[in-house]
Amino acid sequence: MARKELKAESVAEAYLALLAERGVEYLFANAGTDFAPIVEAYAKAAHTGFPAPKPLIATHENLALSMAHGYAVASGKVPAVMVHVSVGTANALCGVLNAARANVPILFTAGRSPLTEEGCRAPATPTSTGRRKCSTRPACCARWSNGITSSGTAPSSKPWSIGP
């Protein structure tokens, strides 16, 4: 696919706009703590009118996948599903396997909040968007964090950076 430039102030806005541009009408979701940027992007879309798929909220991740699966079969269109990281992704796997076995296309994504933008240096309370204090980060998530060392610090590079 060709590279495309978007006028977006966040990755979440660009994500929603690209989904809509590529014909994704619905984003089935079971949100977690990592959805704040998506919620903010939806709020901005409602205010500014930039395109975004319609959000459909499910009470469980497997339900979100099942709803998307049914929509895809009935409409012939590709839906998107987003769940929260770790346990939410695990909860969704039965639905992912069902769709894969039936050759039903679904764009499946899971969020992961950054620990901080500059490493584990956040004060006791969040000071900027996307930051969390280190002591409240679930221990289970640390295993999957890019570059976390035993000292609790992370490299200064942003884990979501793409390219050289």
Side-chain angles (χ1 to χ4, degrees):
M1 228 173 218
R3 180 173 278 237
K4 179 168 181 91
E5 288 191 31
L6 293 173
K7 283 194 151 199
E9 293 181 17
S10 71
V11 172
E13 288 176 30
Y15 175 69
L16 294 179
L18 284 170
L19 286 177
E21 180 181 288
R22 294 194 167 107
V24 174
E25 295 177 344
Y26 295 99
L27 175 63
F28 297 86
N30 177 265
T33 57
D34 44 357
F35 272 57
I38 297 291
V39 172
E40 290 171 2
Y42 268 118
K44 186 172 181 180
H47 182 68
T48 63
F50 84 76
K54 182 176 180 175
L56 293 175
I57 308 304
T59 56
H60 193 275
E61 299 83 4
N62 204 10
L63 176 60
L65 258 295
S66 297
M67 291 165 56
H69 186 145
Y71 168 79
V73 170
S75 69
K77 297 179 181 180
V78 177
V81 175
M82 187 170 181
V83 300
H84 55 101
V85 71
S86 68
V87 176
T89 302
N91 285 339
L93 287 181
C94 288
V96 170
L97 290 170
N98 286 339
R101 293 284 300 203
N103 292 318
V104 174
I106 296 173
L107 175 63
F108 177 66
T109 59
R112 188 186 128 223
S113 297
L115 178 58
T116 70
E117 293 179 5
E118 292 87 23
C120 191
R121 295 184 199 89
T125 58
T127 58
S128 66
T129 303
R131 294 186 127 199
R132 295 182 178 187
K133 71 180 194 174
C134 299
S135 62
T136 61
R137 180 132 202 232
C140 63
C141 298
R143 289 191 297 269
W144 300 294
S145 297
N146 295 338
I148 298 296
T149 65
S150 60
S151 67
T153 60
S156 61
S157 63
K158 295 181 181 179
W160 57 86
S161 296
I162 297 173

